[in-house]
DNA sequence: AACGTATTACGACCTATGTCTGAGTCAGCC
DNA sequence: GGCTGACTCAGACATAGGTCGTAATACGTT
């Protein structure tokens, strides 16, 4: 009987590209496309050789789909395909039983290498080079409440004088806090601090994905 | 002579998928792949029929690349390819002179339809119905090239001195440009300007699963 | 050629930002 | 009580940021 490979991704073009790569590793496999987590689960009702799973789909909450699938079909290796390049997401996926993690920025040879490894029963994860950059998130969460309030106002583009007025403290205190914030965030100007705060405020999903 | 079509996207697999679609619309064209904004600009040194441009690449932070390209090569139609589904981004791209906007979630037939329209000199944008307007966009696109360059550097958190060095101009000139930028963007500090630039240039495909 | 306008450029000048030193209060903790 | 950490503030200081006036260049108009 032919092997069934399920590709779950909500980007048709990307499914097509993945399909080509799959075909070169499993030449005789039947490729089943799914554009949502629901379709992927439906496709799993019949035995499958492998599941390529996108983390960003309309009806999916990130890694929770992976959890579900691993629970219900532990025999099916799951290859996570994600736009994320965050090492924290790699390791989260690994802990949840993914067989491989492929960033969408991967090239075709890399993709084939990963799929080949999975076919042979191995795991495959991106090479992060051991020591990852220090974590912005950890740094920002080390701020004290007063420092966080001030960072919020900095981000809004207020002057120190305005921040002092808003928080009913002196400008000297604002400056003192700001100096402490810069140290903790490892930046040297209020613009960098504000950009960092803004970036991390949008990047909530990375921090949130393991707790749901 | 053969037509040159440039595909700029940092995902090799997606470039391949786009290449297939392009080949079906421009059968005899030469497809040139670029994996960064820099490579795309280099490829534009020779006449090109069309540029397919991803908004999210390593060395680019969004729509600023589009601005630059439109400025330097107004004759080349630019098709924006983005993971974003935000109507606000569509209209931003339209205002900045993009010929088309294709969400990465588009199917192959839709993609072909858009490319065909561009080939015939038309525009093509996703069907959204209601109008979105953005004063900020109009303001930011009124910046001169020098001002835009400086805004980009401001956004990266550089000091005026560093910007001056990068652009080989004096710090006094940087300051003068910054003052002009503030007036045009209607802000009063570099932090506000940087936040505004970041907000409008956003194309955050990697971080949109948000909360459960 | 003469003109207006937009852009880029610069220096002088004042203000905002950020650092450093030092110090006071308050709360929790061993 | 002694210790620590968070929050508060002030004065002095150095530097970065921002405004203003001014000028050279470029480009299109008349």
């Amino acid at each position: 009987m032919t092997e069934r490979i399920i590709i779950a991704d909500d980007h048709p073009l990307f499914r097509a590209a993945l399909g080509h790569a799959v075909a070169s590793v499993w030449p005789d496999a039947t490729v089943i496309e799914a554009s949502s987590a629901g379709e992927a689960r439906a496709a799993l009702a019949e035995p499958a050789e492998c599941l390529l799973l996108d983390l960003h789909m309309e009806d999916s909450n990130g890694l929770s789909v992976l959890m579900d699938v691993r629970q219900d079909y532990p025999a099916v290796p799951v290859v996570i395909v994600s736009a994320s390049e965050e090492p924290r997401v790699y390791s989260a996926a690994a802990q949840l039983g993914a067989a491989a993690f492929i960033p969408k920025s991967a090239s075709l040879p890399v993709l084939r290498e990963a799929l080949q490894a999975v076919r042979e029963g191995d795991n495959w994860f991106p090479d992060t080079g051991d020591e990852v950059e220090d974590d912005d998130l950890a740094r920002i969460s080390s701020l004290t409440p007063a420092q966080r309030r001030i960072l919020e106002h900095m981000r809004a583009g207020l002057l120190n004088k305005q921040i002092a007025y808003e928080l009913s403290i002196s400008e000297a205190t604002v400056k003192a806090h700001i100096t402490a914030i810069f140290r903790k965030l490892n930046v040297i100007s209020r613009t960098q601090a504000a950009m960092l705060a803004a970036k991390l405020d949008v990047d909530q999903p990375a921090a949130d994905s393991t707790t749901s």
Side-chain angles (χ1 to χ4, degrees), chain A:
Chain A
M1 64 180 279
T2 66
E3 298 155 314
R4 297 172 75 248
I5 310 290
I6 303 169
I7 298 178
D9 190 311
D10 58 351
H11 294 170
L13 291 172
F14 208 79
R15 285 204 301 274
L18 288 174
H20 282 128
V22 166
S24 73
V25 174
W26 283 276
D28 300 323
T30 304
V31 171
I32 294 144
E33 294 193 9
S35 62
S36 68
E39 289 180 28
R41 292 185 61 84
L44 280 167
E46 292 179 46
E49 186 71 17
C50 181
L51 167 64
L52 275 66
L53 179 64
D54 181 19
L55 284 185
H56 294 297
M57 290 189 292
E58 287 312 315
D59 60 345
S60 75
N61 302 328
L63 292 163
S64 62
V65 190
L66 173 60
M67 280 190 260
D68 290 346
V69 170
R70 291 300 299 165
Q71 174 130 14
D72 297 345
Y73 307 95
V76 179
V78 179
V79 175
I80 298 298
V81 180
S82 168
S84 172
E85 312 272 349
E86 293 289 323
R88 63 166 63 242
V89 182
Y90 303 165
S91 57
Q95 282 177 28
L96 292 174
F101 189 104
I102 301 173
K104 284 194 172 178
S105 61
S107 65
L108 189 55
V110 169
L111 175 54
R112 269 202 290 257
E113 177 188 325
L115 292 179
Q116 192 64 50
V118 170
R119 182 175 197 186
E120 291 165 3
D122 291 338
N123 284 1
W124 191 95
F125 287 88
D127 189 9
T128 58
D130 258 319
E131 200 47 48
V132 189
E133 68 217 42
D134 25 8
D135 197 351
D136 293 335
L137 220 56
R139 285 206 290 250
I140 212 169
S141 60
S142 78
L143 296 180
T144 67
Q147 290 167 355
R148 224 167 285 166
R149 277 195 301 273
I150 291 191
L151 182 57
E152 283 302 306
H153 285 82
M154 267 201 282
R155 186 180 152 187
L158 299 187
L159 306 177
N160 288 343
K161 199 174 296 186
Q162 295 174 302
I163 299 175
Y165 176 78
E166 290 288 334
L167 300 180
S168 301
I169 55 180
S170 85
E171 191 179 346
T173 306
V174 173
K175 289 180 177 179
H177 281 306
I178 287 179
T179 298
I181 291 171
F182 288 177
R183 290 226 164 86
K184 284 189 179 176
L185 298 188
N186 199 30
V187 299
I188 60 159
S189 72
R190 78 209 276 88
T191 302
Q192 289 179 355
M195 299 301 290
L196 186 59
K199 186 184 108 192
L200 295 180
D201 212 15
V202 204
D203 270 347
Q204 296 285 354
D208 186 62
S209 55
T210 53
T211 60
S212 61

